[in-house]
Amino acid sequence: MNEKIILQFSKTKLLKAGFTLAIIASIASTLYVMKAEALAWHVWHQFTHHDHHGLDLSEYEVAIEGKQLADYKNASGLAFNNETGTLFTVLNDMSMIVELTRDGKPIREIKVHGTDDLEGISHLEKDYYVVADERESKLWLLQIKPETRELSIKDGRLLKFGMNERGNKNFEGVTWDSVHHRLIVVKERDPKYVMSVTGLYEPNEDKQSQIEVQRMTQFDPALKWALRDLSSVTYHERTGHFFLLSDESKLLKQFNEQGQTLGSLALWKGFHGLHENVPQAEGVSIDDEGNVYIVSEPNLFYVFKPKSSRT
């Protein structure tokens, strides 16, 4: 009799424990789908002290929302050219680079031969650009002149890394740090990280340079908890800050050189004047006036500006 009571009691405990675990799992799943940790980080940054030497992203509002870029497919990277005052995006499905005005109007198409997975682009200076091939884990230094309408990836200078396998979780974004003459490259996930590359391009053509690759570990703690993936990066020369874009977290986060978070821009409906979520943010750039530009697959274009500039 006692054994039966004990057995029944044990079964009841197991059932209650299983029910509790099911509730916890359900709550955790719901929070994950809602991107609760990203929302918490964003709200926290809105109420913490802002670095006055950075961009106050809490004061930004959308000025152009979800403008379609013609019939293009898979707009993936974005770069602003301070010398021309125009933007450049890469289309990985169409193997093309497209030059855009600041309001998202296409003004030039450049067909790129020899690659089918362009994911990032950055302007260095003059006619020189770097593009990233995600599947092959390669960076290419290309010269794109004002009259260029077609080029081969093989005409550029190749930088290939041996640290990543072929696949679709590799280089997602690249930007040029003009102050330290280095490229900043982000790997999407598994694992996600930020690294610097020096020596690929030297503004002083007479200077001999050696390519050096270094992981920027100061960003690792923030990446571990704050961003689910990395889809793009841009460097802002005036502030010396890095802006990391996460498609899965739907956040653009600002960091200083030490890896300290200095604010964020939320890409969800209801934030910063957005009427709908930014569906798949893949590229980001900032112009000389501090305006933030984002492209979202397959072909959506966004502009965010400080409220003060719109009054």
Side-chain angles (χ1 to χ4, degrees):
M1 184 69 178
N2 290 338
E3 291 181 358
K4 290 183 178 180
I5 294 175
I6 292 173
L7 182 60
Q8 184 65 37
F9 180 71
S10 299
K11 288 182 177 180
T12 303
K13 287 185 67 177
L14 287 172
L15 287 172
K16 288 183 177 179
F19 182 69
T20 302
L21 288 173
I23 292 176
I24 293 173
S26 177
I27 293 173
S29 177
T30 301
L31 291 175
Y32 183 84
V33 171
M34 293 175 61
K35 308 182 191 299
E37 85 289 350
L39 177 61
W41 277 111
H42 177 68
V43 173
W44 169 258
H45 292 310
Q46 305 313 302
F47 292 99
T48 53
H49 178 70
H50 294 287
D51 183 339
H52 296 294
H53 298 291
L55 300 183
D56 187 356
L57 295 178
S58 66
E59 291 298 315
Y60 277 60
E61 285 191 343
V62 65
I64 298 178
E65 180 176 359
K67 179 178 181 178
Q68 290 196 0
L69 299 176
D71 295 321
Y72 298 133
K73 296 180 181 179
N74 288 359
S76 293
L78 194 62
F80 180 75
N81 184 327
N82 282 292
E83 298 171 26
T84 63
T86 57
L87 295 152
F88 289 77
T89 187
V90 292
L91 311 176
N92 58 24
D93 261 13
M94 305 177 75
S95 298
M96 186 182 294
I97 298 172
V98 180
E99 184 176 7
L100 307 165
T101 63
R102 298 193 204 206
D103 59 358
K105 179 182 178 181
I107 54 179
R108 178 167 51 142
E109 297 178 350
I110 304 165
K111 182 64 179 176
V112 183
H113 299 283
T115 180
D116 61 359
D117 197 19
L118 294 177
E119 284 289 346
I121 184 170
S122 180
H123 175 248
L124 279 59
E125 66 170 20
K126 301 176 183 177
D127 298 329
Y128 291 98
Y129 298 77
V130 166
V131 294
D133 184 311
E134 181 181 20
R135 187 170 291 110
E136 297 288 342
S137 295
K138 295 176 180 178
L139 299 176
W140 295 89
L141 175 64
L142 303 175
Q143 186 174 21
I144 303 176
K145 298 180 180 180
E147 67 274 13
T148 300
R149 294 295 185 277
E150 191 171 4
L151 58 82
S152 172
I153 202 78
K154 296 180 180 178
D155 293 334
R157 181 182 177 188
L158 167 66
L159 174 60
K160 180 174 173 60
F161 297 88
M163 61 183 67
N164 297 320
E165 301 292 333
R166 286 171 55 91
N168 198 40
K169 302 296 182 185
N170 291 318
F171 299 157
E172 275 288 320
V174 58
T175 189
W176 176 244
D177 176 351
S178 55
V179 176
H180 301 95
H181 300 148
R182 62 184 177 178
L183 286 169
I184 307 299
V185 185
V186 296
K187 183 176 179 295
E188 182 181 7
R189 58 186 309 165
D190 304 327
K192 55 183 179 287
Y193 56 75
V194 182
M195 63 184 181
S196 69
V197 181
T198 57
L200 175 64
Y201 174 81
E202 178 55 56
N204 182 356
E205 297 179 357
D206 297 328
K207 182 179 178 180
Q208 296 295 320
S209 59
Q210 181 177 354
I211 293 176
E212 295 184 3
V213 181
Q214 182 178 3
R215 181 163 168 170
M216 302 179 74
T217 56
Q218 64 266 39
F219 294 102
D220 288 354
L223 296 182
K224 183 177 181 180
W225 303 108
L227 298 175
R228 294 186 184 182
D229 72 337
L230 294 174
S231 55
S232 190
V233 58
T234 192
Y235 176 78
H236 188 234
E237 182 177 326
R238 181 170 60 82
T239 60
H241 291 171
F242 304 91
F243 293 76
L244 300 180
L245 180 66
S246 172
D247 159 41
E248 291 190 18
S249 295
K250 295 194 180 303
L251 283 178
L252 175 68
K253 295 181 74 69
Q254 179 177 196
F255 297 87
N256 61 16
E257 178 73 27
Q258 292 71 44
Q260 178 186 7
T261 308
L262 303 173
S264 62
L265 184 75
L267 305 180
W268 309 310
K269 177 181 178 180
F271 290 82
H272 306 284
L274 286 168
H275 295 90
E276 299 292 340
N277 292 340
V278 177
Q280 191 172 347
E282 291 288 335
V284 63
S285 193
I286 300 175
D287 69 11
D288 50 354
E289 297 177 355
N291 300 315
V292 175
Y293 301 86
I294 290 176
V295 289
S296 173
E297 288 190 5
N299 62 346
L300 300 180
F301 179 80
Y302 297 79
V303 182
F304 295 85
K305 296 184 178 182
K307 294 176 183 177
S308 58
S309 68
R310 305 186 65 197
T311 57

